[in-house]
Amino acid sequence: MRSGTRQGTRVPKNPGGPVAGSPSAPRRRRRVALGGVLVLGALGLLAFSLVGTVRDIQDDLSLGRSAMETGRDEFMAGDVVGAGGSFRDGRRLFARAEDRAGGLVFRAVGWLPIVGRTSDAVNAVAASAVTAADASIVLADAAGEIPGGLSGLAPTRGRIVLDRFSPLVHAARKADELMTAAVSRVEEAPTSLLLGPVGPARRDAEVELSHLRGTIHAASLVLQGLPRFLGGEEPQRYFFGAQNPAELRGTGGLIGAYSIVRIDDGRFHFSPFVPIHNLTRPPLMSVPPPNEDYAANYDQFRRGDRFWTSINVMPDFPSVAQAILSSYEVATGDTLDGVILADPFAEAALLEATGPVQLPGYDVQIDANNVVAFTTNEAYSLFTDSVRRKRLLGDVATAAFERFIDQPLADQEDLEQLLEAAGERHIQAYSEDPMMQEGLRATPVGGALRPRGADDDLLSVVVNSAAGSKVDFYQERNLSYAVRLDDDGSAAAEFELTLRNDAPTSGQPRYVIGPFRSEDAGSILQSLQAGESVALVNVYCGADCIPLSARMDGVPVEVTTDVDLGMRYIQDYYSIRSGEQKTLRLSWDEPSAWDGNGSGGTYRMTFTNQITIRPATLHLRIQPPDGMRIVSASPPLRIVGGAAVYDGEPGPRLDVVIEFGPPLPVRLWRNVTRFLSTPVVEI
């Protein structure tokens, strides 16, 4: 029988499914489309849930940060109970953010390629915040154990009670360990291929936690070394120098008088202040320098009768302190345990706490309002005796410090006054104890030239007066710094320093307005006029800056350049007549100015300010790379016209951070291409 097909013809097989046009093909396409819709819907739902969860986590972290800032303010105000409560509120919020980051939504995101790194970063930020809150709680609880709270740490009746620091010593050591763990956790988190605001939040967390870790680590070292520093183990003896910023020096001002202060179990004993000129001048070659840069750059100023008055020309106080100690030992045969320097602004802070003091032997009452002007200017017209005049700074310092220490009952505000003066570098301290000195060096009290972040961009202007007079009392200083970041990680900088001299030419004693002429042939000092200032200017521009050009009032000038402790500076030397001003304009390049890549980056800068009678003003402008915009700027920066801008009186130190990046689509595309072009295995 014949079949229904033509004999000899094979029926084609379709191993891949129904043929085109068969009834089952549309069904298969519908199933594929439906599957795609379901996948897209699931991804959309996941994305929607992710956005909501990220927003909730961001809110928790923001609220937790606010609670921590409240706790910090309460802690500094002496309310340790309130601070402990605020720190615990912050920890609770951080812990809730950590729980959200460990929830189902983020675990699901962690399974996805590329964007799965976001969950790791969010988890790290939240977990590190919890650990940082634990560190703060430890410190607040320990402060609560001190009799009288933080007020109990202030000196009373001539003594600092050392036993009261014990709870804080142990707590700071524990907090130091916790903060180290917190920073390690966030440093291990991914830095790229992060969604939305997670990248900037992760960078912010790393910067803030690293700064806090440095502060707590320094506090831990200082607290551990403080009992020995204050004579708890055996009496300690320190060179105590009184600085006068009316004649500028690298560390603040000329050291006009000194005392040897003995501290025994928290009690201070000052020897009578004597003029610095009374110290024997040892041969320079017999004094070992603190480091090669000090010897190469500053020994030239310490010859003859300028040995002691130029010992602090270098702006790095630890180097200066070592030079003072070694010089003092060679000159006297006496070994000391450290150096303390203070200026009239420190005395003003102490007198703010104690009230006015009758200055013994001078028939003058000094208070917080008149002490700076009196000691740096007015007294020179009142006292013609050179010995009394030179001892004046020291006698005022003795009166202010002894009055502060001898108070029958100190309070929190008194301690705050002392800490504020130290924090603004009006009091600087150096210890021969290595642990104590390591802690001091990381604080403003240590007066170190190098900023805490050695890789940060650095700007610092240091003027040393060469006129021999006190005309820096009348000097005004204005600074302008414009930084343009380039997309290769470098930066171009333009800097201007304007010094104005408003010193009178008459009506003041020669000791104040000069002139003090030098007979050295060719010296700028040979033709000085009354009221004229002479400035030796060092402009520090960081570790790897490349100086390009220099102009004085628009005219090209030759300048020198050298290095202090790894920090390059540009130096010029010029005089300014009374009633005139001069503007020094410099430019330089920074080959490695910011961290990041084509998807965004971070620029950090530290400005350190010299202590001057009249506050300096600073105009700062930071322009991001072309094609990028600033996404965050630390206070007190403002974003104006696409640039980060600051205008004001910056105080002794200003740290700023900006973050920038291209528009979101460009950033995502660059992230993906960078990820795909990175080798999986290095051969």
Side-chain angles (χ1 to χ4, degrees), residues 83-419:
S86 296
F87 290 150
R88 285 177 169 82
D89 287 342
R91 189 196 189 283
R92 176 180 55 80
L93 290 161
F94 292 149
R96 189 167 69 182
E98 185 181 16
D99 289 342
R100 294 185 196 275
L104 178 62
V105 172
F106 266 82
R107 288 203 303 270
V109 172
W111 302 331
L112 299 177
I114 302 179
V115 297
R117 296 162 63 89
T118 295
S119 62
D120 296 333
V122 173
N123 268 289
V125 170
S128 61
V130 171
T131 305
D134 286 336
S136 301
I137 291 170
V138 166
L139 288 173
D141 289 348
E145 298 177 15
I146 301 172
L150 293 179
S151 299
L153 303 179
T156 55
R157 302 189 184 280
R159 181 171 180 255
I160 297 176
V161 183
L162 302 181
D163 293 343
R164 295 182 179 177
F165 287 86
S166 296
L168 279 180
V169 171
H170 300 297
R173 190 182 295 118
K174 177 62 177 176
D176 191 12
E177 295 172 358
L178 289 169
M179 286 306 308
T180 299
V183 172
S184 297
R185 181 73 174 89
V186 78
E187 285 178 343
E188 294 168 358
T191 59
S192 60
L193 299 176
L194 305 177
L195 295 178
V198 175
R202 182 227 172 269
R203 289 195 296 268
D204 286 346
E206 182 176 356
V207 170
E208 291 181 13
L209 291 176
S210 296
H211 180 76
L212 183 58
R213 177 187 60 179
T215 300
I216 290 180
H217 181 64
S220 176
L221 294 174
V222 169
L223 286 169
Q224 292 178 64
L226 200 59
R228 177 178 176 81
F229 184 85
L230 295 176
E233 298 178 10
E234 59 181 352
Q236 301 289 293
R237 298 167 66 244
Y238 300 96
F239 179 99
F240 191 106
Q243 296 195 110
N244 185 356
E247 186 173 352
L248 287 170
R249 292 291 185 270
T251 62
L254 176 131
I255 302 174
Y258 79 98
S259 166
I260 302 302
V261 59
R262 180 174 178 268
I263 310 178
D264 184 3
D265 195 27
R267 296 186 182 276
F268 290 68
H269 307 277
F270 288 87
S271 71
F273 272 86
V274 295
I276 195 75
H277 295 88
N278 287 18
L279 270 173
T280 301
R281 296 191 299 270
L284 185 60
M285 298 301 296
S286 66
V287 180
N291 50 64
E292 293 181 1
D293 289 342
Y294 183 97
N297 299 334
Y298 301 102
D299 270 357
Q300 59 181 308
F301 302 111
R302 298 176 61 199
R303 304 188 184 280
D305 59 2
R306 297 180 299 175
F307 183 93
W308 288 105
T309 57
S310 296
I311 199 167
N312 60 332
V313 170
M314 188 181 195
D316 183 66
F317 175 65
S319 299
V320 168
Q322 293 172 54
I324 290 174
L325 292 176
S326 58
S327 299
Y328 187 86
E329 182 176 0
V330 172
T332 67
D334 196 4
T335 302
L336 301 175
D337 299 299
V339 176
I340 302 172
L341 298 184
D343 64 25
F345 293 99
E347 293 140 24
L350 299 178
L351 292 170
E352 183 71 32
T354 66
V357 173
Q358 192 72 25
L359 190 60
Y362 293 88
D363 193 27
V364 172
Q365 187 180 77
I366 55 172
D367 57 34
N369 296 320
N370 68 9
V371 64
V372 174
F374 176 75
T375 55
T376 59
N377 183 262
E378 296 168 3
Y380 303 128
S381 297
L382 295 176
F383 307 114
T384 57
D385 180 74
S386 62
V387 175
R388 294 183 72 199
R389 188 174 59 213
K390 291 174 181 177
R391 287 177 48 186
L392 177 70
L393 274 173
D395 291 340
V396 172
T398 301
F401 273 88
E402 288 184 344
R403 176 66 178 270
F404 182 82
I405 294 168
D406 289 341
Q407 293 180 94
L409 183 62
D411 58 22
Q412 175 69 22
E413 291 185 2
D414 296 343
L415 184 61
E416 288 178 8
Q417 292 288 345
L418 180 61
L419 293 176

Side-chain angles (χ1 to χ4, degrees), residues 464-480:
N464 278 277
S465 174
S469 61
K470 303 296 182 288
V471 295
D472 291 335
F473 179 86
Y474 304 97
Q475 185 185 93
E476 291 187 354
R477 182 182 302 192
N478 299 294
L479 304 96
S480 176

Side-chain angles (χ1 to χ4, degrees), residues 376-573:
T376 59
N377 183 262
E378 296 168 3
Y380 303 128
S381 297
L382 295 176
F383 307 114
T384 57
D385 180 74
S386 62
V387 175
R388 294 183 72 199
R389 188 174 59 213
K390 291 174 181 177
R391 287 177 48 186
L392 177 70
L393 274 173
D395 291 340
V396 172
T398 301
F401 273 88
E402 288 184 344
R403 176 66 178 270
F404 182 82
I405 294 168
D406 289 341
Q407 293 180 94
L409 183 62
D411 58 22
Q412 175 69 22
E413 291 185 2
D414 296 343
L415 184 61
E416 288 178 8
Q417 292 288 345
L418 180 61
L419 293 176
E420 182 178 356
E424 294 182 350
R425 295 206 319 272
H426 298 305
I427 302 173
Q428 299 175 73
Y430 173 87
S431 173
E432 286 283 76
D433 175 40
M435 181 175 64
M436 182 67 171
Q437 177 53 28
E438 182 184 351
L440 288 172
R441 187 182 183 88
T443 70
V445 181
L449 168 66
R450 294 177 67 97
R452 179 176 295 157
D455 296 331
D456 292 359
D457 188 13
L458 171 69
L459 175 66
S460 183
V461 179
V462 177
V463 175
N464 278 277
S465 174
S469 61
K470 303 296 182 288
V471 295
D472 291 335
F473 179 86
Y474 304 97
Q475 185 185 93
E476 291 187 354
R477 182 182 302 192
N478 299 294
L479 304 96
S480 176
Y481 187 47
V483 183
R484 188 186 72 251
L485 305 179
D486 294 324
D487 55 12
D488 61 356
S490 66
E494 296 282 345
F495 169 77
E496 282 190 0
L497 167 66
T498 299
L499 295 178
R500 178 168 181 81
N501 178 15
D502 289 323
T505 58
S506 62
Q508 288 278 13
R510 184 168 176 263
Y511 186 79
V512 174
I513 60 175
F516 296 97
R517 298 187 178 93
S518 170
E519 299 302 325
D520 298 337
S523 171
I524 196 173
L525 304 178
Q526 195 170 8
S527 58
L528 282 183
Q529 304 298 315
E532 188 171 2
S533 69
V534 180
L536 177 69
V537 178
N538 283 12
V539 179
Y540 291 84
C541 55
D544 59 353
C545 73
I546 302 173
L548 299 178
S549 65
R551 292 176 176 270
M552 178 66 72
D553 292 334
V555 179
V557 293
E558 291 187 5
V559 294
T560 59
T561 180
D562 219 311
V563 174
D564 274 345
L565 307 178
M567 296 289 105
R568 180 159 296 281
Y569 64 84
I570 304 165
Q571 186 178 86
D572 199 8
Y573 178 64

